[in-house]
Every structure is written in structure tokens, then in C-alpha cells.
Amino acid sequence: MLYLRLAALILVRTTVRHWREKIGSYLLLLAIVAVGVGAFNGIRQASRSASANFGLFNQAISGQSDFLIESPTKTLSADVLYSLGPLSGDPDWHLVPVIEGSITSLDGDGEPQQQLRLVGLDLMGLANLPNLSEAKFDFGEDELTWYDWLGSENSVWIGRKTAEKLGFDEGEAIKFIASGRMREMVVRKIIGVESSSFPDDLVIADLPTAQLLLSRPNELSRIEVIIDRPELRENVDYLETIKSRIARYLPENLAVQPTQNRAADRAAITAAFRLNLTILSLIAILVGAYLILQALDAAVVRRRSEVATLISLGVSRGVLFLTFLLESAVIGSIGSVIGIGVGWLFAYLSAQMLADTVNALYFATTIEAISLTWMDCVFGLCLGFSFTLLAGWLPARDAMQTPPAQVLSRGDWSPGFSWLRNRWIGTVLLVLGSLLLLLPPFPLEAGGKMAVGGFLAAGCWILGAALLSGHLLVGLAGLLRSFSSSPTSRLACSRLHDGSSRHRLAVAGLVVAVGMVTGMFQMVDSFRGTIEQWFNVRFQAELYISERGVTGAGTINGIDPSVMSELVQDETIAYADIVYVSYANPPEGITVLSGVDMEAWSTTIRQLWLKPPGSLEPVEGSEPALISETFARRFGLLEGGSIELETTTGKKSVSPIGIYSDYGNEFGTAAVDISTWKEWTQSERPINVSLYLNEGSDINGVRDRLRLSYPGLDVRNAAELRGVALDIFEQTFKATSALNGIGLVVAFAGLLLGLLAIFDESSRTWLTLRHLGFSKNQFLLSAGLEGAGIGLGAWISGSLVGLALGWLLIFVINVQSFGWTLRWQVPMADFLTFGSLLVIAGFLSGLLAATYWSHKNK
Amino acid sequence: MTTTQSENAQYALSISSARKSFGTVQVLKGVDLGIEPGERIALMGPSGSGKSTLLNCISGIEKLDSGTITLHGQVISDLDGGGLEKLRRESIGYVFQSFHLLPTLTAFENIELPAQLINMPKDERREKVYHMLKSVGLSHRSDHKPDALSGGERQRVAIGRALIHSPGLVLADEPTGSLDTQSGEDVLALLEKLSVDQGVALLMVTHDRSSARICNRVISIQDGLLI
Ligand SMILES: Nc1ncnc2c1ncn2[C@@H]1O[C@H](COP(=O)(O)OP(=O)(O)OP(=O)(O)O)[C@@H](O)[C@H]1O
Ligand SMILES: [Mg+2]
């Protein structure tokens, strides 16, 4: 209690007054905390809102449903409704068949405007449900009788937001592209805004209408089950009995599961993506914490003599420790509060970008309004607060160790951080990191994996290298000293060679930044290099045709088979490589089953082969397949073998005869022959086609002709598609490079602060040198050289650990998380540029810090 | 041990057979000293003879290798860190050659601080500080911060700070070392007056024989021994 009172007294009398005097630096500190917390929170919110849509969709339509009946491929024939027999008549529940697919709305000029999600419901059935619930959709007050639903074949219901955005009113016609055809519908009703959870991109139609639009007659996506007694919804036992009762009557290829599972399933699909973002935002906050540490430590140094005097007056060290900790706590809390606001802004600005990325790579999404929950606030506050406190810990300890004034007055005094001199901690961390690599990856839901060992090893290596970098700096300075003759360079080298804790801290912070940035360099470069090479092989045909408006690799809708067969009749086509795709269930999670022309794929069509077709013996009794590397790694089929996949028609075994690289999805693909695929999936819908034209054809002429005849299809030549595909990957790395930039800026700021503290601490040395006739320019030059030396040392250590990180990212983390092998590329030019930048920045920081110092000590 | 507990009690400070060395350098080689309450002693000696070291040992900042130092009946080598802090807060006032005022505090607040550290009630404290400011002749500068004060004025504030909590012993390490002759004179006069008024014992390190005139006794340290 007395402690606290004293600490408060000192805080008010000294700390707060220092703040007032240096209001600029403290505002900067607050800004740092705010940006750190903001980046973290913002990224969290943005990625959540971008993927929230998966879950939301469920809540909106089937928020009222308790179970879903689905097939492994997520499609089923409407005929199953009859085969459900006793299930459909049961008074305890209602069955709602649903079809779902994506369509693209067109503007007045027939250009694609927005991608929408079409859901077909049995409206009549829905209207007859007994008091479905509070949140039931309002399909129009006066349309509650069943005959009003008649004649809705050409009508759709859309949400108010979409209607406003696209400029439609009730009763107007709206044009869509669906399944490669253009369609016209009437907007029957605009659904009011009362249900705020209604997704932006939702279009509702009667079941037959939706089936027609998607040209999937007689097909369903799933059947939703709504229990008749809403009051028992929360009753686990009741739900369990219902579930088992349903399961009993279900045909073999169908499964019933609680509604939330679906949302979870889809959310998990983006888990890997979100994981990356989370790690990046954690880095942002860590880097922020480092800056705070530097700044608070500089404050301790500045106030060293004050602290010493207080100790001489009998203020206990505990009180001083508490005071400095309180100081960082205050900064932490104010900064975090601001950070939450900053985060909201950041999320608001970046959500679109993130949504685009998620969109392109995974599923079509729209942006849900950015929501700031209480959890976010609490989480952000706690995070900012605890990191600032942690960052304040070392400086506070440092302050506590200040000797009393009478000792301090004897000379320069550089205390604390003695562990920075201990080479064992760093060495042990490096070894520990290498051992952690042996940890197996941690399986996530939906079949993804997280390279736990890899991430932990990365952390250990970075920290270890940072701790050891001080020794490297000392050695380097010793080496350089023997080459230097001028008094300025000698002075700089001798000071670095002395290796004070503060020099070590400065270089350690830089090493962390350099290591991470150069590691990321390599990954992005390797990724880009590999992808480009992959594209060269992949885009070997002249023209590529897919459904228009669908950009996502994960969206499975497909092209109307009759459109396809008409299209491939074109006489300029030498060969059409038609590809079919559907989901299939491996023993765990989900994967992709594709149907291809096996004959052509095994001979003429080029791939990046990891194992060329024929190099693996297929297992007797299994369907021979070409599998992607991801698939092979996921199911341990790199050396052959077989795996069972559950399809519409039951469990089927596939066995690889070849393995190709595919960077398109992280769930893996198994490609079987088209006839087999059709038989297994009971579907005829292709997803896309690559056209090889007759020799001498005018590629763009054919493209334009096809575009005119098939307005619903997306026809592109190889170059165009390459551009689009590369864009997608560039987008993925946008956030990465932005954070890299922040990391660098922060590292330099940290170096500057560190050098300021160093020069402050050596005031006596400089004053003495000044008395000895050291000119101001000599002082500045020497300070610049000192900074440059730290930059050089940090670059060498940082590049070493960066190389290790690059290796780790490419050969451990990527392989374990996504099953991708990338070609490791070390961008030498970037490394060197970066090194020179660091040395120059170090020199400038030294110069700047020294200028500031001499300005202050005029 | 050459003195008994009861003998110690009559001294404000008593030191017996104090030894201290830094590595191979023997600085104190068995120092014996007794200072009675209210007694003022000048400690002289060549540079490097261990004067500051002795003062640091008395305030517990350096630890003796052997021997005892007893302050107001308390053997300081028996005290732990907290006890030493308490001792410094309550029983010792320190005056430094280079002042060491807290730069953010006004003259008034600088003097007030030790009284706050020992939890003196607010009214009494303000009264005392006001009084002290008057005694050191700085009533008109009470709201000024150290960097607005001259060297002599700063040292007068420091003396006020050393005495505000009525310690039994004031240690001064070359209090006039950074001052011109006139300011030095003022500071010495002030030190003498206040320590006489308050009956405080004073141990003052000085290089200047004339400064010693305010003291009752002059002792010298040479080769680690008092003579
Ligand atoms: N921490 C230390 N480590 C090593 N030697 C020390 C230390 N402190 C003091 N000394 C040595 O002890 C001796 C006495 O130092 P001290 O500061 O007490 O001298 P002094 O009498 O106060 O001198 P001056 O009059 O110059 O202030 C010196 O030789 C000094 O070098
Ligand atoms: Mg001395």
C-alpha cells in the first residue's frame, strides 16, 4: 500500500512531468501501441468479416433448421425425397429441400456486375411450416397463402441492400448469368432489412426455379431438417434421439449432421489463410512491443541520475520498479484504447482487399459489415496492455538496478540485460529449435494441418540468433578495428567491440526484423517463381473456358453439359480437355475428386510431374488416378498405395499412378477418368475446358467468336488467364509485404531509439572527447559509423537466420501446412540491397541520434 | 569489537576497525571513528584516499569487508536492503558535490520529497518546507525548477533537502566542490547554521582547509587510516 502511494507520488511528480516535457515522444509511443493493437485487431476483424459470410449464410436460411442431410459430394438427386420414406411424413420434424449455387448479375450492358448466391427453397413447404420462428423471412405480408406462391417460376427475392446496389425495384426484370446461360427474372419482392443477418449476396427463388436457373434439374444441395417443437431445440438429449432416428432411415450415401457443423466445416477451409494473417498480426504487435521496450529503456537512461538520486534518498527499488511498470501500464492502456479505434478503421479499409483474396482463393464471399464486438475490445485491450507491460519489464528492472547517485557520479554506467552477454541461452535456443522440428504437424478440422514444430522452431531460431548477434557484433568490431586508422572509426569500433548491453539489445532487435523480412522475401520469391513455372505448364492450351463470374478455385457450380457439348463441336478445336470436379470425402475432412481425360493427361498434356504417370504401380482393385502433391502428402501416397473416397455412389478406392504439382488448392485433388467420375458422382456437369486449336488458327478471333456465341461463359486466352491467376497470388502476398514494410520501419525506429539511449548513456565520454578537441563533425561521423556497424552486424546475423527461416518456411511449414513443395529461391540481389539499406539506415540513425544528442547537450 | 553497545548509544555514528578493499586495492585499513550528536567533522585527505568510500560505507551503499558501523544504535551491516533504505530515508541526509536535484521538481518539491518519503503529515510538511525555504534564503524561488537556479542556489536547495526530515547525520561529499568562493561561503554558513540549529551531526568531506572552520574537529585519512 505504502509502495503504491509512493509510486503514485513519483509518477505524478516526475514521470508525468517528463511526459509533459516530451509530449511528442510519448504521443509517438502511444501511436506505436495503437498501431500494434490496431493491426492485430484490424486483421482479426477483417478476416473474420470476410469469412463470416460462410457461417452467416447458414444462420440466415437455416438458422431455423436443426439438422442437415447431405451427401459427401454436397449434391443429391431430388428423387431421394421419395426414398426417405417414413422420414418425410414424421410429425416431429419437417424436411426442407434446398439447392444452392452461384449466379452473376448483369448490368444494363450485359457486363457481369456482382456475384450472387442463389438459394432455391420449397417456398410452399416453407410457408406451411408451423410458426417457424421470430426471425422468419417476410416474403410479403399478403402472400401467406399457398396459392400465392403459384406462378413464381420467374421470380426471385433479393435483399434490400443488393437491390439498392444493383438498382432494382420490385416488379422489375433482373438479368443473370447462371451455368453459362443468360436468364431473366422478375424481382418479386425485396426482403426488408429487419433481419440484419441476411447476407448481402443472397437471392432466393422457388426450388424448381433455382434448379432451372442453375440448370441442375431435379438436383438438391441438401435437405434441411427443422424440428417441430422449437422449445426443445436446446435439449441435447432430444436432439440426439431425433438425429439417430433420422440416421436410421437414411440411405447409405447420406449423412445427417447438426447445422453448425457445416459452418464450421467451411470456416475451417479458410483456417490456413487466417492462421497466416494471425501470425502476421502477432508479428506486428511483437515488433511494436520491441519499439516500446527501446523507448521506455531510453527513458530510463535519460532519467538515470534522477533515479539514482531517488535511491540515495532512500526510495526503495521496488517502488521504482513499480513506478516504471505503472508508466508502461498507463501507456499500454491508453494506446490500446486508441488501437481499438485504429483497428476498426484498418479493418474497414482492408476488409475489401482481404475479401478479394479470400474470394479469389477459396469461396465467393461478400463483405459483411465490420463488427466490433466486446470480445474484440477486451482482447485488444488485454493484448496491448500485457505486451506493453512485458516491454516495460526490462527497462523497469534496469531502472531498479541503478546505483545510488554517489556511485553513479563516478562515470558512465551501463547496467542490466546481462543475459544478453550469455552465449549459452542463444545456443540452447538454436538447438531447441532444431529439435522442435521433429514435432509432427497438428491436424486441423477439414483436413488442414498446422506446422506447430515449424512455427516454434522459427521462434526459437529468431530469438537465439538475436541473442547471439551481440557476440557477432563484438567479433566483427574487433576485426574492423584492426583495419581502421582514423580516430573516429577507431572510436566507433572500440565502442562496438566493448559490446555494451544496449548495443547488443539494438542489434538483437534489428536481427529479429531482418530475419523475418528476409525469410519472407524468400518465401514470396520462391512462391512466385514456382507459381510462374507452374503457370507455364498449366496454361499450355490456347483458350480456357469456364463459367462466367466464378473466380473462386473452390466454387463448384459448373457449365451446363449441353452447352459444353455444343461448344466443343467448333471446327477450329483440335482437342478439348474437359475437366469435371466435385467434392469427395476422405476418411477425414474434404478433398476434391476430378474427372479428366486420363489418356491425354498421361501422355500429351504437360504437368509439373513430381512422379510422372506410370512411375507408380496402381493397387489392384483400385481406380488408377493422377493425384496432386497435396493429396499425396495428405494421405501418405507419395510412394503409391490407395485411399477410399466417399462419393455419391458410395466408397470408392483410388490409387495413384502419377503425382503432379498443383498450387491451386490445399485440400488435394485426385483425378480419375471422366467416365469413372460420371459414374461415381452421378453428375454430367463439367467445370471448365481447355481448348487446343488447330494449327494456324487465329486464337483471339476464335476467342471473340466464342464470347459472342456464349455470353454466359468466360473465354480467355492463356496470357489473360495467367495475368488473372498471378493477380490472385499477388493479392495474397499484399498483406505480407505491407507488414514487412511496417516491420522495417519499426526496426529503424527501434535502432534510432536504441542509439539515442546509447549516446545518452555515454554523455560523459562525449563531453570528455569534446574537451579533448574532438570536433562536432568527428563526433557525428563516429556516431554514424557506430550505427552503420550495428546495421552491418544485424544484417549478417539477420541474413543467416533469415536463410534458415526461408528454408523452414519452404521445406517445413509450407509442406506441412499445404502440402506444397516450392523451389527455394534466394533473391541475392534483394539480400544485398537490403544489406546496404541497413548499413545506410544505421549510419543515418547514428547521425540523427548524435545530432539530437548534441543539440540537447549544447 | 572495541566499544560496547552502551558506549555506542552516545554516538550519532561510530565506526570501528572498518576495512574495505576493491580487489587488491586496500582503501580502508581499519578505520575507527565516533561522532557525537551535533558534532561537525571535516574529513580531509588526498585524492583517492578513500573519503567517498567511507561515506558510501556509512550510508550502506558499499559493504564493509570487516568492522562495524553503528548509526543511532543500529549496526548497519545487520540491515537488509529494505532496512538500509529505511535508514537512508530516516536517519541520513546527503549533500552531493554535483547537487543531484530532481529536474522535474520545483525547489519546494525537491525539499519536500524526503518528508513525503517518511510519511510526514501534509500540513506539518508544508509548514516545514516553507520554513526551510526561508532558512536557505530561497522563498522567492520556491516554484522554480533546478535548471532555473544557479549552482549555489541549487546546493542550498540540496541542503534543505538533506535536513528537512531532521536526520541525525548529514553526509556531505565536497559540498562546495562545484561552487565559486562566494557561493561556497554561503553554503558553508548555511550548513553550519542549520546543523547547529537542529543539533545534527555532520561529516563533511572537503579539500579546503578553510572550509573546515565550520567544524568542531578535522580528521585526515591517509593510507587507509584516520589520523
Ligand atoms: N567501485 C570501485 N572499484 C574499484 N576501485 C574503487 C571503487 N571505488 C573506489 N575505488 C578506489 O578506491 C580508492 C578510494 O576512492 P574514493 O572515491 O573513496 O577516493 P576519495 O578519497 O573520495 O578521492 P577524491 O578526493 O578524489 O574524491 C581509489 O583508489 C579508487 O580508485
Ligand atoms: Mg571522493
Side-chain angles (χ1 to χ4, degrees):
Chain A
M1 204 48 227
L2 178 72
Y3 259 45
L4 262 180
R5 257 199 34 228
L6 266 182
L9 172 76
I10 296 173
L11 201 68
V12 170
R13 281 284 167 84
T14 65
T15 310
V16 172
R17 291 183 191 185
H18 282 301
W19 287 356
R20 256 198 314 226
E21 260 162 42
K22 295 220 170 237
I23 187 83
S25 350
Y26 284 98
L27 286 181
L28 191 71
L29 258 189
L30 285 182
I32 291 167
V33 184
V35 168
V37 172
F40 186 84
N41 248 20
I43 288 174
R44 237 168 69 97
Q45 283 171 56
S47 71
R48 190 181 53 205
S49 79
S51 49
N53 179 278
F54 306 140
L56 256 184
F57 170 70
N58 253 328
Q59 286 157 17
I61 291 299
S62 20
Q64 305 310 324
S65 73
D66 302 279
F67 296 103
L68 302 177
I69 296 175
E70 285 182 314
S71 83
T73 49
K74 314 291 178 210
T75 67
L76 36 118
S77 157
D79 299 336
V80 297
L81 278 176
Y82 306 114
S83 69
L84 292 180
L87 280 181
S88 29
D90 199 293
D92 283 345
W93 60 71
H94 307 270
L95 299 183
V96 183
V98 174
I99 186 165
E100 182 189 331
S102 61
I103 54 176
T104 305
S105 70
L106 299 177
D107 63 12
D109 307 325
E111 284 301 308
Q113 199 171 11
Q114 196 196 344
Q115 192 174 342
L116 301 167
R117 190 159 282 272
L118 177 71
V119 165
L121 298 166
D122 182 356
L123 293 179
M124 226 197 291
L126 209 59
N128 288 334
L129 282 184
N131 66 64
L132 185 57
S133 84
E134 334 65 64
K136 177 178 176 179
F137 283 129
D138 172 20
F139 289 108
E141 295 98 40
D142 38 61
E143 296 194 17
L144 286 174
T145 44
W146 65 269
Y147 48 82
D148 281 319
W149 300 109
L150 294 178
S152 54
E153 298 99 67
N154 283 317
S155 314
V156 293
W157 284 253
I158 60 179
R160 168 147 304 153
K161 270 195 227 157
T162 316
E164 276 165 10
K165 189 165 158 198
L166 304 180
F168 285 109
D169 245 331
E170 282 175 26
E172 285 185 3
I174 177 170
K175 273 191 199 153
F176 293 121
I177 288 179
S179 306
R181 291 177 197 276
M182 199 145 24
R183 307 280 192 170
E184 205 170 282
M185 290 279 138
V186 175
V187 178
R188 174 75 172 261
K189 172 90 185 158
I190 290 173
I191 297 176
V193 283
E194 307 90 65
S195 40
S196 57
S197 57
F198 191 88
D200 261 3
D201 64 343
L202 196 62
V203 175
I204 296 176
D206 194 18
L207 188 62
T209 311
Q211 285 172 335
L212 185 74
L213 269 173
L214 296 169
S215 70
R216 285 152 65 181
N218 212 29
E219 203 182 300
L220 297 177
S221 298
R222 60 181 178 272
I223 299 167
E224 306 199 352
V225 181
I226 299 172
I227 59 174
D228 194 50
R229 298 167 63 192
E231 71 276 9
L232 285 174
R233 273 222 170 112
E234 309 292 320
N235 185 327
V236 182
D237 291 338
Y238 183 71
L239 290 181
E240 205 41 57
T241 33
I242 294 280
K243 186 178 168 189
S244 56
R245 271 174 60 199
I246 296 174
R248 200 176 318 146
Y249 293 110
L250 232 40
E252 192 198 341
N253 61 332
L254 297 185
V256 60
Q257 50 180 313
T259 304
Q260 306 89 298
N261 280 4
R262 238 177 90 80
D265 210 36
R266 287 191 164 186
I269 288 169
T270 52
F273 183 73
R274 296 175 74 172
L275 176 77
N276 278 335
L277 284 176
T278 309
I279 290 172
L280 282 175
S281 50
L282 259 178
I283 290 176
I285 244 190
L286 261 179
V287 164
Y290 167 69
L291 257 195
I292 292 165
L293 185 140
Q294 280 285 24
L296 286 180
D297 195 49
V300 170
V301 172
R302 244 192 345 263
R303 299 185 216 155
R304 177 80 69 203
S305 81
E306 177 181 310
V307 172
T309 307
L310 285 169
I311 290 175
S312 292
L313 293 177
V315 173
S316 78
R317 290 164 193 271
V319 169
L320 285 166
F321 182 70
L322 201 65
T323 311
F324 273 88
L325 221 51
L326 273 178
E327 174 172 1
S328 45
V330 170
I331 293 175
S333 6
I334 301 178
S336 307
V337 171
I338 304 174
I340 287 170
V342 172
W344 186 85
L345 203 74
F346 183 81
Y348 186 78
L349 296 178
S350 63
Q352 182 63 58
M353 190 186 95
L354 285 172
D356 283 350
T357 313
V358 175
N359 225 344
L361 285 179
Y362 302 99
F363 283 91
T365 64
T366 52
I367 319 174
E368 161 69 0
I370 299 291
S371 58
L372 184 65
T373 63
W374 273 111
M375 272 305 289
D376 289 333
C377 294
V378 172
F379 200 70
L381 274 178
C382 290
L383 202 78
F385 188 75
S386 38
F387 267 89
T388 321
L389 220 55
L390 268 180
W393 192 267
L394 289 177
R397 249 183 51 139
D398 181 12
M400 194 171 84
Q401 286 163 355
T402 303
Q406 49 271 54
V407 174
L408 187 67
S409 60
R410 274 209 288 265
D412 291 352
W413 193 76
S414 186
F417 304 163
S418 52
W419 41 270
L420 274 173
R421 293 163 191 278
N422 185 335
R423 65 188 74 213
W424 285 110
I425 305 178
T427 315
V428 165
L429 275 173
L430 289 189
V431 174
L432 183 70
S434 314
L435 289 179
L436 282 171
L437 279 181
L438 300 176
L439 278 183
F442 181 78
L444 299 173
E445 268 178 272
K449 276 180 184 160
M450 181 168 157
V452 187
F455 284 118
L456 288 178
C460 285
W461 283 357
I462 291 182
L463 262 179
L467 288 179
L468 289 179
S469 59
H471 299 285
L472 187 126
L473 180 72
V474 169
L476 185 73
L479 198 73
L480 288 177
R481 183 152 73 162
S482 48
F483 293 110
S484 54
S485 49
S486 75
T488 43
S489 55
R490 269 190 166 242
L491 178 70
C493 285
S494 73
R495 286 171 52 80
L496 292 177
H497 186 60
D498 190 41
S500 79
S501 302
R502 226 162 285 285
H503 283 97
R504 286 167 196 260
L505 185 66
V507 82
L510 267 187
V511 165
V512 173
V514 174
M516 285 188 320
V517 170
T518 50
M520 281 290 189
F521 266 179
Q522 293 165 66
M523 187 172 93
V524 173
D525 247 60
S526 307
F527 218 128
R528 190 178 291 121
T530 312
I531 291 290
E532 268 172 13
Q533 200 185 13
W534 180 56
F535 284 170
N536 284 343
V537 175
R538 257 212 70 165
F539 299 129
Q540 55 195 303
E542 277 82 32
L543 290 178
Y544 293 86
I545 299 179
S546 61
E547 190 191 347
R548 196 163 167 186
V550 177
T551 54
T555 316
I556 297 186
N557 202 27
I559 302 172
D560 189 332
S562 57
V563 172
M564 180 63 84
S565 53
E566 187 188 323
L567 185 141
V568 295
Q569 297 306 315
D570 196 289
E571 73 271 355
T572 49
I573 299 174
Y575 172 69
D577 181 19
I578 306 177
V579 174
Y580 297 74
V581 160
S582 86
Y583 288 121
N585 279 12
E588 248 174 64
I590 193 162
T591 189
V592 176
L593 180 70
S594 121
V596 301
D597 182 346
M598 275 303 247
E599 163 88 45
W601 272 51
S602 314
T603 51
T604 47
I605 294 190
R606 280 185 296 150
Q607 290 283 356
L608 278 186
W609 292 110
L610 208 66
K611 299 261 164 84
S615 61
L616 295 174
E617 262 316 300
V619 172
E620 193 88 23
S622 290
E623 179 71 19
L626 294 168
I627 62 174
S628 71
E629 184 191 353
T630 315
F631 191 90
R633 288 192 192 281
R634 208 175 137 188
F635 304 114
L637 301 175
L638 276 171
E639 303 302 328
S642 70
I643 181 157
E644 282 205 330
L645 298 178
E646 202 169 326
T647 68
T648 319
T649 52
K651 286 202 170 126
K652 309 286 177 189
S653 170
V654 296
S655 173
I657 54 168
I659 301 175
Y660 59 95
S661 297
D662 178 1
Y663 303 94
N665 80 61
E666 62 205 62
F667 310 106
T669 306
V672 295
D673 196 57
I674 293 174
S675 56
T676 315
W677 185 87
K678 284 181 177 170
E679 186 194 317
W680 287 1
T681 59
Q682 295 291 300
S683 167
E684 299 280 333
R685 299 170 65 79
I687 185 94
N688 61 40
V689 58
S690 315
L691 300 182
Y692 296 75
L693 303 185
N694 288 321
E695 204 122 338
S697 317
D698 165 18
I699 297 173
N700 287 350
V702 176
R703 179 195 63 188
D704 296 342
R705 186 159 50 77
L706 289 177
R707 277 185 180 169
L708 278 180
S709 352
Y710 302 98
L713 293 181
D714 190 47
V715 186
R716 295 178 199 244
N717 65 31
E720 287 167 337
L721 200 58
R722 246 188 112 191
V724 171
L726 267 180
D727 274 353
I728 292 175
F729 282 98
E730 291 298 333
Q731 263 179 356
T732 313
F733 289 117
K734 248 189 216 161
T736 313
S737 33
L739 280 163
N740 266 350
I742 295 179
L744 272 186
V745 169
V746 163
F748 288 145
L751 179 61
L752 195 68
L753 286 171
L755 283 169
L756 263 177
I758 288 171
F759 295 154
D760 255 344
E761 194 116 87
S762 350
S763 286
R764 219 159 262 266
T765 309
W766 302 127
L767 288 173
T768 316
L769 283 169
R770 197 188 277 173
H771 288 299
L772 293 179
F774 222 59
S775 76
K776 181 164 177 194
N777 284 343
Q778 278 175 317
F779 166 53
L780 291 184
L781 181 63
S782 162
L785 288 176
E786 199 170 322
I790 293 179
L792 186 66
W795 178 63
I796 295 176
S797 310
S799 297
L800 287 177
V801 71
L803 279 175
L805 282 188
W807 175 86
L808 197 69
L809 279 167
I810 287 159
F811 292 110
V812 179
I813 295 182
N814 254 294
V815 171
Q816 290 190 358
S817 308
F818 308 113
W820 294 337
T821 324
L822 306 176
R823 266 146 233 270
W824 190 14
Q825 291 184 346
V826 180
M828 279 322 265
D830 283 352
F831 261 75
L832 289 176
T833 322
F834 192 56
S836 352
L837 269 179
L838 258 178
V839 173
I840 294 172
F843 187 83
L844 290 179
S845 307
L847 217 61
L848 218 68
T851 313
Y852 179 75
W853 181 90
S854 53
H855 174 76
K856 215 178 52 179
N857 295 273
K858 253 202 290 249
Chain B
M1 205 168 283
T2 55
T3 48
T4 67
Q5 202 64 32
S6 63
E7 269 174 299
N8 277 340
Q10 73 182 73
Y11 290 111
L13 169 74
S14 82
I15 303 172
S16 66
S17 335
R19 285 171 198 282
K20 174 79 187 170
S21 42
F22 293 107
T24 54
V25 188
Q26 289 198 350
V27 182
L28 306 178
K29 302 178 186 166
V31 168
D32 295 292
L33 177 66
I35 304 181
E36 282 165 25
E39 195 182 9
R40 294 181 304 287
I41 292 183
L43 177 59
M44 301 192 64
S47 182
S49 52
K51 303 181 294 290
S52 299
T53 305
L54 183 61
L55 257 54
N56 286 348
C57 288
I58 294 170
S59 57
I61 285 157
E62 306 273 15
K63 272 204 156 43
L64 283 183
D65 297 337
S66 67
T68 44
I69 295 176
T70 313
L71 203 73
H72 298 292
Q74 272 184 307
V75 178
I76 68 161
S77 52
D78 291 351
L79 296 174
D80 59 1
L84 283 174
E85 278 157 6
K86 187 163 179 291
L87 184 83
R88 263 177 256 152
R89 271 201 299 269
E90 294 173 355
S91 314
I92 299 179
Y94 224 112
V95 182
F96 306 93
Q97 177 177 353
S98 44
F99 326 130
H100 286 307
L101 295 181
L102 297 184
T104 56
L105 303 191
T106 62
F108 186 96
E109 289 164 344
N110 260 297
I111 295 179
E112 187 188 18
L113 187 65
Q116 280 172 312
L117 291 181
I118 58 168
N119 273 324
M120 194 182 286
K122 189 170 173 186
D123 292 340
E124 184 191 344
R125 190 172 79 214
R126 308 215 131 230
E127 177 70 18
K128 268 196 140 163
V129 174
Y130 184 72
H131 211 77
M132 183 60 81
L133 266 171
K134 217 160 124 190
S135 321
V136 302
L138 288 172
S139 305
H140 57 298
R141 314 293 310 260
S142 76
D143 288 335
H144 289 231
K145 295 208 176 143
D147 52 7
L149 301 175
S150 75
E153 286 166 337
R154 282 183 217 181
Q155 196 62 305
R156 270 143 64 195
V157 173
I159 290 171
R161 185 177 69 182
L163 285 159
I164 187 71
H165 54 303
S166 316
L169 174 69
V170 170
L171 301 172
D173 198 346
E174 299 183 49
T176 59
S178 310
L179 300 175
D180 62 89
T181 327
Q182 186 52 50
S183 318
E185 289 296 321
D186 295 350
V187 162
L188 283 175
L190 189 64
L191 255 182
E192 179 178 21
K193 175 174 170 289
L194 289 179
S195 49
V196 169
D197 287 355
Q198 295 196 4
V200 174
L202 173 69
L203 180 57
M204 177 174 77
V205 171
T206 178
H207 278 294
D208 171 19
R209 196 152 274 284
S210 71
S211 320
R213 74 189 139 70
I214 66 159
C215 298
N216 318 100
R217 188 144 69 101
V218 178
I219 54 177
S220 287
I221 183 167
Q222 212 149 49
D223 294 329
L225 292 169
L226 291 185
I227 46 174

